[in-house]
Amino acid sequence: MAKVGEGDQRWIVKDRDDGANCNNWHWTEKDILPWAKQQLAELLNGQDIERSSKMIVKTKKVENIEGDALVMNRKKKLICSFDLKMDIPWEGEVLDEDTGDVIYTVKGKMFVPDVDDTTLGDSMQVDVMCSEQGDAATLVIEKVRTLGRKFVRKSLEEFAQLLKDAHSITNKAQSVVCDAKPASPASKKEEKKEEKCVDELNQRFEWRCPPSELWDALVNPAKASAYTRSNVTLNLTKGGDFSYMGGAISGHFESVDAPKGFVMKWRLDNWTSGHYSDVTITLDSHEHNVTELKLAHTNIPYGEKDRVKMGWTNNFWNPIKQIFGFLYETK
């Protein structure tokens, strides 16, 4: 290497008094979040999810885009990085097939809690939220869960490609790196190690209702269909299958001890094929009309714990509270 003050400046890595960054050798970065928000708005705002004689479902104006979007340069290597979350409101109109008139309107949102280069694709988490009930609302919600999620995942893949194209980031470019979370060889080894790990979720609640009523809400297919706003099948026997939300959650019962609890082999449809987590739910009562519910959810794939926790809250605990009026406290 040349001595300081001599030779080609590209090889001089000592801090310079004039602050010059010769040939982009030192680390530089550019915040492109405003650009990212504009591109996401163009891709997501006002787009049709479903348009037929029965219903029209469209996205509204995307909201609350938060996170980071950067283009960085280090030793002439370009690195694009984005780590975002956002709300995508939607509206569905159920139509009279004869007249085309709107007979029912449903509103909700899709929530993307974490999107970066590593989470793109069919496994990317897109949560569908809607507080409305009824047959018409269920029809619209099911469309959003299938076609809406597919639309969002495809749009975010297009966004990632736009980012690369707009900033000349291609596989053929000079020393190019494109990774949402740039990592050293050591940290990549750690990531591979983490992928083999599993996580667990433990919760305890006090429900203001008799154990028999809470048990019935958990295992009665008609009631479960009501609060999950989806088709539910529950074969409450050892080895019996269960399915929620059109198969988004499925598995089988390992054991059933009515009305005290059950053990399930439980999975989400986009987990690695053959991987099941373990769910144990127990009910107990030490006070009149008060039920203690314990949830032990183990063997959750690494990185999925927050998603699973949100799913229990948004698809089970809160809807049970809203529909049946059972208040609960977290212990």
Side-chain angles (χ1 to χ4, degrees), residues 61-237:
K61 184 179 179 181
V62 63
E63 300 174 346
N64 304 324
I65 301 176
E66 299 177 3
D68 300 302
L70 304 167
V71 173
M72 296 163 282
N73 190 315
R74 171 64 169 122
K75 298 182 180 179
K76 303 186 78 173
K77 291 181 182 179
L78 294 176
I79 304 168
C80 62
S81 171
F82 63 96
D83 190 356
L84 303 167
K85 65 178 181 179
M86 66 199 74
D87 292 320
I88 307 165
W90 54 266
E91 181 178 281
E93 296 177 335
V94 180
L95 308 177
D96 184 308
E97 292 188 62
D98 295 326
T99 65
D101 294 336
V102 177
I103 57 177
Y104 194 81
T105 300
V106 187
K107 295 182 179 180
K109 70 177 181 179
M110 289 177 280
F111 174 56
V112 181
D114 180 32
V115 58
D116 57 40
D117 255 12
T118 66
T119 59
L120 291 170
D122 293 340
S123 63
M124 186 184 71
Q125 181 179 352
V126 181
D127 296 323
V128 177
M129 302 178 180
C130 180
S131 61
E132 300 186 42
Q133 309 290 331
D135 292 342
T138 298
L139 289 173
V140 176
I141 292 166
E142 286 296 331
K143 286 293 182 182
V144 179
R145 282 180 173 150
T146 54
L147 300 181
R149 282 172 168 158
K150 183 177 180 180
F151 161 74
V152 170
R153 288 165 178 157
K154 181 180 178 181
S155 297
L156 290 174
E157 286 182 333
E158 291 179 9
F159 163 75
Q161 189 61 50
L162 282 171
L163 187 154
K164 297 173 186 178
D165 293 343
H167 297 88
S168 300
I169 298 172
T170 67
N171 291 332
K172 296 180 181 179
Q174 55 180 8
S175 302
V176 168
V177 178
C178 186
D179 194 333
K181 298 176 182 178
S184 66
S187 63
K188 287 182 179 179
K189 290 180 181 178
E190 292 174 1
E191 289 175 0
K192 290 181 179 179
K193 181 179 179 181
E194 287 180 341
E195 288 174 359
K196 299 178 182 179
C197 296
V198 292
D199 217 330
E200 65 179 67
L201 171 67
N202 292 286
Q203 295 182 318
R204 184 166 70 94
F205 306 104
E206 276 193 1
W207 290 81
R208 298 294 170 175
C209 65
S212 59
E213 293 187 17
L214 183 57
W215 174 261
D216 191 47
L218 292 171
V219 303
N220 184 313
K223 291 185 177 181
S225 294
Y227 60 74
T228 62
R229 302 185 297 278
S230 68
N231 293 324
V232 172
T233 58
L234 291 169
N235 184 7
L236 194 65
T237 60

Side-chain angles (χ1 to χ4, degrees), residues 161-325:
Q161 189 61 50
L162 282 171
L163 187 154
K164 297 173 186 178
D165 293 343
H167 297 88
S168 300
I169 298 172
T170 67
N171 291 332
K172 296 180 181 179
Q174 55 180 8
S175 302
V176 168
V177 178
C178 186
D179 194 333
K181 298 176 182 178
S184 66
S187 63
K188 287 182 179 179
K189 290 180 181 178
E190 292 174 1
E191 289 175 0
K192 290 181 179 179
K193 181 179 179 181
E194 287 180 341
E195 288 174 359
K196 299 178 182 179
C197 296
V198 292
D199 217 330
E200 65 179 67
L201 171 67
N202 292 286
Q203 295 182 318
R204 184 166 70 94
F205 306 104
E206 276 193 1
W207 290 81
R208 298 294 170 175
C209 65
S212 59
E213 293 187 17
L214 183 57
W215 174 261
D216 191 47
L218 292 171
V219 303
N220 184 313
K223 291 185 177 181
S225 294
Y227 60 74
T228 62
R229 302 185 297 278
S230 68
N231 293 324
V232 172
T233 58
L234 291 169
N235 184 7
L236 194 65
T237 60
K238 182 177 180 180
D241 294 335
F242 66 83
S243 173
Y244 298 89
M245 304 174 187
I249 300 171
S250 64
H252 63 270
F253 289 95
E254 288 279 277
S255 64
V256 177
D257 183 17
K260 297 180 179 179
F262 48 79
V263 178
M264 311 162 97
K265 286 290 186 180
W266 188 104
R267 63 174 274 108
L268 294 176
D269 60 352
N270 56 10
W271 285 358
T272 301
S273 178
H275 181 91
Y276 286 84
S277 60
D278 299 293
V279 169
T280 300
I281 288 180
T282 57
L283 304 182
D284 200 1
S285 181
H286 305 289
E287 183 180 344
H288 182 63
N289 284 343
V290 176
T291 303
E292 180 184 69
L293 183 152
K294 291 181 180 179
L295 167 71
H297 196 157
T298 61
N299 204 28
I300 300 169
Y302 185 83
E304 290 282 281
K305 179 179 177 179
D306 288 345
R307 178 187 179 193
V308 169
K309 182 179 180 180
M310 183 181 294
W312 280 111
T313 300
N314 293 339
N315 297 315
F316 291 87
W317 313 141
N318 284 348
I320 289 173
K321 172 184 174 182
Q322 292 167 0
I323 290 181
F324 304 116

